[in-house]
Amino acid sequence: MRRSASVVEALLLVSLIFEAQLWAVNGNSHCENLKPLEVRPHSVTITEFGAVGDGVTLNTKAFQNAIFYLQSFADKGGAQLFVPKGRWLTGSFELISHLTLLLDKEAVILGSEDSSDWPIDDPLPSYGRGRELPGRRHRSLIYGNNLTDVVITGDNGTIDGQGSIWWSWFRNHNLSFTRPHLVELKNSTNVVISNLTFMNSPFWTIHPVYCSHVLVQNVTILAPLSSPNTDGIDPGEHH
Ligand SMILES: *[C@@H]1O[C@H](CO)[C@@H](O)[C@H](O)[C@H]1NC(C)=O
Ligand SMILES: *[C@@H]1O[C@H](CO)[C@@H](O)[C@H](O)[C@H]1NC(C)=O
Ligand SMILES: *[C@@H]1O[C@H](CO)[C@@H](O)[C@H](O)[C@H]1NC(C)=O
Ligand SMILES: *[C@@H]1O[C@H](CO)[C@@H](O)[C@H](O)[C@H]1NC(C)=O
Ligand SMILES: *[C@@H]1O[C@H](CO)[C@@H](O)[C@H](O)[C@H]1NC(C)=O
Ligand SMILES: *[C@@H]1O[C@H](CO)[C@@H](O)[C@H](O)[C@H]1NC(C)=O
């Protein structure tokens, strides 16, 4: 059973309204300072960093090393990390400014089913605790903090959180910390998330918080109707 398209559309509508409000708050009425289609002058492929797209090999280090390497291009127009066709299992990894994460048509990023691959972070200051449990919370699979000019896009590639294991931990009251989102960006600006499918998030799917100028466009968000708290797009407070 999948959420109906109308739910997804309703969530997208929410996000578009959110976007409009952000632009209103920031005094701009258009998206002209977003440059989603700007071609990055430098691009690497995740396999250059040892990743194996067999759905079994854990590629967290490959994602982290690729992004660490791409930091040196941030002041040279930024860089692109390309994820080709394959099933790329990974734990949480952190994005940088001036980065495009580009998924190929049949690329699938898979969230690890080992909770220790999702580090523990402090709660958000405005919540003062985890959303569902007191104390700290697991970090999202794709995470960013204090960023600008970030694009997460693809030819309808997929980011699959493999959340069913988290849903059972939740139902069995077997979690010590609040479940992770699939994508969370904190205190970031000029963010584009587009042309992708997101599925089976452990908790909320896309969570921009303390962000401005966020565009979420042309995405499909899927999760079983029975899955707990797998909201599509939850825009948080902005600064
Ligand atoms: C984000 O900015 C805050 C405040 O300047 C700082 O304390 C924090 O370490 C920064 N985090 C990252 C990941 O840059
Ligand atoms: C937000 O990010 C900006 C730019 O990186 C940084 O200067 C600021 O200190 C950050 N604020 C917080 C509350 O982390
Ligand atoms: C939406 O994304 C699909 C692939 O994900 C692409 O073929 C299509 O052109 C996109 N539509 C728009 C309006 O961007
Ligand atoms: C993208 O893939 C999802 C999942 O397979 C599908 O539901 C959706 O229709 C696709 N979107 C486009 C634009 O092809
Ligand atoms: C709860 O989690 C712990 C640690 O992962 C595991 O050893 C235990 O079997 C789990 N219990 C249940 C009821 O799932
Ligand atoms: C989405 O994909 C379509 C088709 O490739 C492209 O024309 C469009 O610019 C993309 N949109 C974004 C916001 O990335």
Side-chain angles (χ1 to χ4, degrees):
M1 222 0 203
R2 298 281 159 180
R3 283 195 201 284
S4 69
S6 63
V7 173
V8 173
E9 281 159 17
L11 287 165
L12 286 176
L13 186 60
V14 166
S15 97
L16 292 175
I17 292 165
F18 162 67
E19 186 196 321
Q21 285 172 341
L22 285 179
W23 263 285
V25 164
N26 286 284
N28 297 333
S29 52
H30 300 291
C31 313
E32 69 268 11
N33 54 353
L34 284 171
K35 297 174 188 128
L37 302 177
E38 198 177 341
V39 175
R40 303 291 192 186
H42 196 82
S43 178
V44 296
T45 298
I46 192 64
T47 48
E48 292 170 48
F49 296 82
V52 181
D54 60 1
V56 179
T57 307
L58 188 66
N59 295 301
T60 317
K61 282 279 179 296
F63 278 100
Q64 288 170 342
N65 290 342
I67 291 169
F68 182 80
Y69 170 75
L70 293 177
Q71 272 182 320
S72 54
F73 299 92
D75 59 357
K76 302 178 185 71
Q80 172 175 283
L81 175 56
F82 178 67
V83 180
K85 177 179 173 177
R87 293 171 63 77
W88 309 93
L89 183 71
T90 183
S92 173
F93 61 90
E94 190 168 349
L95 305 178
I96 54 172
S97 292
H98 311 293
L99 179 76
T100 298
L101 178 64
L102 175 68
L103 276 68
D104 206 357
K105 190 177 181 57
E106 289 171 69
V108 184
I109 293 181
L110 290 170
S112 166
E113 295 181 291
D114 181 343
S115 63
S116 67
D117 292 323
W118 306 65
I120 313 292
D121 277 341
D122 286 334
L124 294 170
S126 54
Y127 288 74
R129 49 165 287 164
R131 179 70 179 73
E132 59 184 351
L133 287 169
R136 307 176 79 203
R137 56 196 197 113
H138 285 278
R139 177 179 290 189
S140 57
L141 187 68
I142 298 181
Y143 175 74
N145 189 10
N146 302 352
L147 303 184
T148 186
D149 178 23
V150 177
V151 182
I152 304 171
T153 192
D155 188 7
N156 206 18
T158 298
I159 299 175
D160 179 348
Q162 304 205 93
S164 62
I165 192 148
W166 292 93
W167 309 332
S168 4
W169 288 332
F170 170 74
R171 292 190 182 107
N172 295 332
H173 304 284
N174 198 21
L175 285 169
S176 307
F177 305 101
T178 290
R179 285 175 285 157
H181 308 298
L182 196 51
V183 177
E184 182 174 78
L185 292 165
K186 270 166 65 181
N187 186 37
S188 298
T189 188
N190 291 334
V191 175
V192 176
I193 300 175
S194 60
N195 291 354
L196 290 172
T197 294
F198 296 86
M199 58 200 291
N200 301 326
S201 178
F203 194 51
W204 301 349
T205 305
I206 298 175
H207 187 221
V209 63
Y210 319 136
C211 287
S212 59
H213 295 82
V214 176
L215 175 68
V216 181
Q217 190 174 67
N218 195 28
V219 299
T220 302
I221 300 178
L222 302 170
L225 273 176
S226 60
S227 58
N229 314 95
T230 48
D231 304 19
I233 304 166
D234 285 282
E237 311 87 304
H238 64 87
H239 53 191

